[in-house]
Amino acid sequence: MPYTKRRRLVTSAVAVALGATTLAACGSSDDGDAQSGPVSLTYWTWTPGMDKVVDLWNKGPGKEQQITVTVKKQASGDTLVTKILTAHKAGQGPDLVQAEYQALPTLVSNDALADISGEVGDVKGRFAEGVWQQTTLGTDAVYAVPQDIGPMMFYYREDLFKKYGLDVPATWDEFAETARKLKKAAPDKDLTTFSANDSGLFAGLAQQAGAKWWSTEGEKWKVGVNDEATKKVAEFWGGLVKEGAVDNQPMYTPAWNKALNTGKQIAWVSAVWAPGTLTTAAPDTKGKWAMAPLPQWSGGESRTGSWGGSSTGVTTDSKHKDAAAKFAEWLNTDRDALNALAKEGGIYPASTSAQLSGAFTSPPEFFSNQPDFYTKAADIAETTAPAAWGPNVNVAYTAFKDTFGAAAKDKSDFAAALDTMQEETVADLKKQGFEVAR
């Protein structure tokens, strides 16, 4: 069943934003994989060490089934999405691709990913509902198998919190008060920084607050980048920056690394992968950090956002859909594969059973002082709020960096920056020829 570009987009948007479950979706025509001999598949991915993981398949299940997979290393992010779409237009896409969750609506709307619900649908129970929803887009289709996730958490210097008499904040209001209390006790220190070069962090914070940046209204896209939930997040952080309660410098710079390593900044709103970053950014602080759930907007709530995460999809260009789906399922559900992914690629698995086994039975070395690190991480991951992605995430992210970057630098109105981000996202959709609801 052919789909127009608009039809594919509406299917995606309704799924992600509204959680619809009754929409039917069609993928590529299935060749049935009437395998009469060996099958060779190509997999585009950026995960470090993936070739070693794939070797396990090629020497084990793949050898038995005569399905060989070859890894082709790629850049991540928008660069890979563009390359996939370019290859698809030429009918020369790979069999399998690694895709970030926010990229799936774009790939599906361009008919670049196949519906593999008939091949992998029975693995749904291995993933948290909010994670699985991102690969189905809320329809009866399945466009990818979840691979890794980035549930957000709060990291803090346990020793310095104790020194300054600070309690771990359970709510964002308490977070703000903690920042002010620290600044009063030690003016040369900051609780953390608002980093305007990390759009994924801001998106995750908005997600936790209940934001729905993309949805549909009839046959039209509706953009809600400046919805009430996101405004609340923007005004909260903008207020802290304006009053000087937190720093306004970007992360992942030599200055930021030094601030963490010397204790000038004593907390970090991040995700489950933070220990790896701290290992290199703040090596002198090993064993001094602890992890806790993200502060909540209301007491008693238990929600988190996502910062990062990807999936494995089968392209509509593949002539071996069934074989490719078998590999995608193995890669993201098999115990040996997941252990290898953790060891070689440093990923935190989307599979809930894998989050408490293998490489995750002991805490990260940097957090050896917190033996329940991964037990707590698994509990937090289960509370991940639904995400709402659309076809031009890249434009929204770029607009965030430009507008919030300027606002953070001069400590101006974050709400105004958010409105500009909204306007630029809407304008881009219209420029691409999509109908947009007011």
Side-chain angles (χ1 to χ4, degrees), residues 160-245:
L160 296 181
F161 262 56
K162 182 178 180 179
K163 177 179 179 179
Y164 295 110
L166 306 177
D167 295 322
V168 179
T171 66
W172 287 111
D173 283 343
E174 291 177 6
F175 178 93
E177 288 306 314
T178 301
R180 296 178 184 118
K181 185 176 180 180
L182 173 65
K183 185 59 69 173
K184 185 176 181 180
D188 63 325
K189 296 185 181 298
D190 293 290
L191 181 64
T192 191
T193 186
F194 178 83
S195 180
N197 65 350
D198 285 285
S199 43
L201 169 59
F202 184 74
L205 292 171
Q207 177 187 345
Q208 183 212 18
K212 289 182 172 61
W213 285 5
W214 286 270
S215 59
T216 57
E217 191 173 283
E219 292 291 305
K220 299 179 180 180
W221 280 104
K222 187 172 183 179
V223 181
V225 168
N226 64 346
D227 64 11
E228 289 305 312
T230 311
K231 281 183 180 178
K232 178 169 63 176
V233 175
E235 290 172 354
F236 174 82
W237 286 95
L240 291 179
V241 168
K242 188 173 184 178
E243 70 175 271

